[in-house]
Amino acid sequence: MERDRDMAMAAIRSVYRITGRVNTGVTLAETLQLIVDAVVDGVGFGVAVVNYLHPDKVYEAVAIAGSDEARETLLGARYPADELDRYLERAERWGQLRYLPQERFSDSIQSWVPDVVPDSDPDSWHPLDALFAPLRAPNGELVGILGVDLPADGRKPGPLQRELLEMLAAQAGIAIDNANLVEALRRERRQLAASEAAFRLAFNGAGTGMCLIGLESSDPDRTRLTRVNAALCRLLGRDEDVLLSMRFADLIHPDDVDEGRAVLAGAFGGVPMHDHELRCVRGDGGVVWVSATVSVVAGPPPFAIAQVQDITGRKAAEADLVRRASRDPLTGLVNREALAAPLDAAVRRAGADGGTSALLFCDLDDFKVVNDTFGHDAGDAVLVAVARRLVSLVRPTDTVARLGGDEFVILVEDLLIDEVAALVDRVERVVSAPIGHDGHALRVRISVGVAVIDATIAGAGAALRAADRAMYLVKGHRHASRVTGRVTAFGEHAGAPGGIPVLRLAGPDNAQ
């Protein structure tokens, strides 16, 4: 599961890097070709076609990647918009995508069929299957349709591949809209000698936030916006006159001031176009993540034009993926990988200043009985209840982790040995209390082994192994002697002569 999440995160980052290149297209034709190249390079399809929607409501296949045969067959093909729309009405809806299975294939629209032998597996991609992604401008207007074929693995796209295609299609729609804007500006400038009126019309009507930045100074405290459009005002939640009266630095989140300086440094450094991701402060005090593409325009006076897009949703999705990758999905505790950082830090502190921490390795003694008797739902309920109880017994600065199965670890810092022993007693007593589930009172005991993390511990792995060995001493002592008293094993540390773990009997166990 963690490997799948890592692969998903890597794939999403790869698509965003690729779509970053899509926005560098100088002309509409270059942008459209970059889009289909990005689909083939980054989303795992063998063929991609962009059907561009002309102002006269006619689609034209204008950019094709992945197959010379497909390019020869389809390039330049034109379809009335209502005809292609009727063709797509028969498609299944996959989120924003439209899937036409082979049994709904029709030759009413000029098409290209790959020379592939069909596979009898129902999940395999059939040569007559087709998948389409609408391309929309930021205002929702349809600007084209992206068609893809030949998934790299020969199977119908799964949820991740579909999501990546939707992400790229969303960015492609914005790129086409921006390219259309650039083309419109060029046409207007040729017709009106680059008049200010033509620029203002395109600038103010853009669906993407845009602004002009004066470049009289590279100091954010002295730099101001000289023009903003309505989309940027909506994005930042401020009126035009307010934005124009503020310093550039006042718009940037305090934690991203350095990135704000980089925006100006790139402009003053002569970089013709550069991209930045940073947080801005809205008028209501909220924070919005934005992606800003900054282009320098020669003066006099020189200025920069920035296209600003809201990427708060994407940043939240990335943060959620990172969070889920570091958490146990059942209990919400940190997992083994996420435990590594605080455990390494505790070992380093012990070696640097002689401070001590303790690692408690906990294993449930009767968990298999619960699973075998009441089922895995009951077992899951026990694991969740134990996790909550362990968290309730420690401080916010301590760490409780689930390593897997019925094994838990508690990392506590700056506690005396006697305080650790008292914590172990509380853990054993609280965990052994009945757990209600489906009308049953479930009981488990817990074996706790302790490794004291001091200057003698050789690393995080050594601390885990010492606590694990100490826990098995507790479990083994109980099994061999059938002792009902609570037993705690303190692992190797400075107070244990010869590095031999020491057993401590903690009195009768009245919890069972």
Side-chain angles (χ1 to χ4, degrees):
M1 182 180 297
E2 293 165 3
R3 180 174 176 271
D4 291 343
R5 283 194 294 265
D6 291 341
M7 292 175 63
M9 179 64 105
I12 290 172
R13 287 174 174 166
S14 174
V15 167
Y16 273 103
R17 284 194 297 270
I18 291 171
T19 54
R21 296 201 301 269
V22 169
N23 285 298
T24 64
V26 176
T27 66
L28 176 61
E30 290 173 349
T31 298
L32 297 172
Q33 189 60 46
L34 284 169
I35 290 169
V36 292
D37 290 342
V39 173
V40 173
D41 292 342
V43 190
F45 290 95
V47 177
V49 181
V50 167
N51 298 287
Y52 178 74
L53 182 59
H54 289 286
D56 60 354
K57 301 303 180 184
V58 172
Y59 286 103
E60 180 182 2
V62 294
I64 302 173
S67 168
D68 292 338
E69 183 181 349
R71 184 180 294 106
E72 292 174 3
T73 303
L74 297 178
L75 191 63
R78 296 171 65 89
Y79 326 94
D82 57 352
E83 183 177 340
L84 185 55
D85 291 343
R86 284 195 301 272
Y87 182 76
L88 292 179
E89 284 176 358
R90 296 174 297 155
E92 298 178 11
R93 290 181 176 269
W94 285 1
Q96 298 298 316
L97 307 180
R98 301 293 181 268
Y99 168 62
L100 266 171
Q102 54 93 9
E103 60 266 24
R104 302 183 188 180
F105 174 79
S106 170
D107 57 1
S108 61
I109 294 290
Q110 183 177 347
S111 59
W112 169 78
V113 178
D115 187 15
V116 177
V117 177
D119 193 317
S120 59
D121 187 342
D123 290 328
S124 293
W125 183 262
H126 193 278
L128 294 180
D129 288 345
L131 184 61
F132 300 92
L135 305 176
R136 297 187 181 279
N139 63 2
E141 180 182 356
L142 194 66
V143 294
I145 292 178
L146 171 65
V148 297
D149 205 339
L150 295 179
D153 60 359
R155 302 182 68 80
K156 294 176 183 177
L160 175 60
Q161 192 174 18
R162 298 180 200 173
E163 184 175 357
L164 295 177
L165 182 61
E166 286 186 350
M167 288 180 179
L168 194 145
Q171 295 297 314
I174 294 172
I176 293 174
D177 186 62
N178 289 340
N180 282 333
L181 174 62
V182 172
E183 294 278 0
L185 285 173
R186 286 175 176 161
R187 288 194 298 270
E188 291 292 335
R189 286 178 176 178
R190 286 194 298 267
Q191 296 170 2
L192 303 175
S195 70
E196 171 64 16
F199 174 76
R200 182 183 298 113
L201 178 65
F203 180 89
N204 292 339
T208 302
M210 299 182 71
C211 64
L212 304 186
I213 306 172
L215 296 181
E216 288 81 5
S217 172
S218 61
D219 183 354
D221 291 328
R222 299 175 58 190
T223 301
R224 297 180 184 275
L225 306 184
T226 60
R227 182 174 291 176
V228 297
N229 70 351
L232 186 67
C233 292
R234 291 192 297 270
L235 176 61
L236 297 181
R238 301 178 189 271
D239 292 336
E240 179 181 356
D241 57 343
V242 174
L243 285 175
L244 297 180
S245 69
M246 297 176 66
R247 302 175 304 169
F248 182 76
D250 295 332
L251 298 171
I252 309 301
H253 189 278
D255 292 342
D256 289 348
V257 170
D258 289 342
E259 188 66 21
R261 294 184 184 278
V263 172
L264 299 180
F268 273 88
V271 181
M273 179 180 292
H274 44 110
D275 298 322
H276 302 269
E277 292 184 357
L278 68 165
R279 286 164 291 184
C280 290
V281 181
R282 288 175 46 85
D284 58 8
V287 177
V288 57
W289 271 100
V290 302
S291 173
T293 300
V294 182
S295 304
V296 178
V297 181
F303 65 93
I305 182 170
Q307 299 182 59
V308 184
Q309 299 177 31
D310 185 347
I311 59 170
T312 304
R314 191 248 290 180
K315 285 291 186 179
E318 290 180 355
D320 183 58
L321 281 174
V322 171
R323 181 190 62 79
R324 285 189 285 168
S326 65
R327 292 280 172 175
D328 170 52
L330 176 63
T331 63
L333 299 178
V334 298
N335 58 23
R336 181 185 293 268
E337 288 73 18
L339 172 67
L343 185 52
D344 284 336
V347 171
R348 287 195 302 270
R349 281 194 297 272
D353 58 23
T356 58
S357 302
L359 191 67
L360 281 62
F361 200 110
C362 309
D363 184 89
L364 302 183
D365 294 336
D366 309 309
F367 183 67
K368 187 175 186 302
V369 175
V370 172
N371 263 341
D372 292 346
T373 305
F374 300 101
H376 289 284
D377 286 347
D380 288 348
V382 167
L383 292 174
V384 171
V386 169
R388 290 173 178 168
R389 291 177 181 185
L390 295 180
V391 170
S392 72
L393 293 172
V394 299
R395 302 162 299 183
T397 55
D398 298 327
T399 302
V400 181
R402 181 188 177 204
L403 301 188
D406 59 351
E407 293 180 339
F408 298 85
V409 164
I410 304 173
L411 174 62
V412 293
E413 302 185 48
D414 300 323
L415 284 185
L416 300 176
I417 296 298
D418 288 344
E419 293 175 317
V420 174
L423 174 60
V424 172
D425 289 341
R426 292 197 302 274
V427 167
E428 293 170 334
R429 184 175 63 255
V430 170
V431 169
S432 67
I435 297 170
H437 175 74
D438 199 19
H440 300 285
L442 309 178
R443 288 177 177 269
V444 292
R445 291 191 306 172
I446 192 166
S447 294
V448 182
V450 180
V452 176
I453 301 174
D454 56 20
T456 66
I457 289 291
L464 267 173
R465 289 190 295 273
D468 189 22
R469 286 195 298 271
M471 183 274 296
Y472 275 105
L473 278 173
V474 172
K475 194 177 288 286
H477 188 279
R478 281 177 172 164
H479 179 75
S481 61
R482 301 185 183 277
V483 175
T484 58
R486 290 192 298 274
V487 182
T488 302
F490 280 85
E492 303 159 5
H493 64 93
I500 301 174
V502 179
L503 285 175
R504 179 179 64 82
L505 293 177
D509 187 349
N510 296 321
Q512 295 289 329

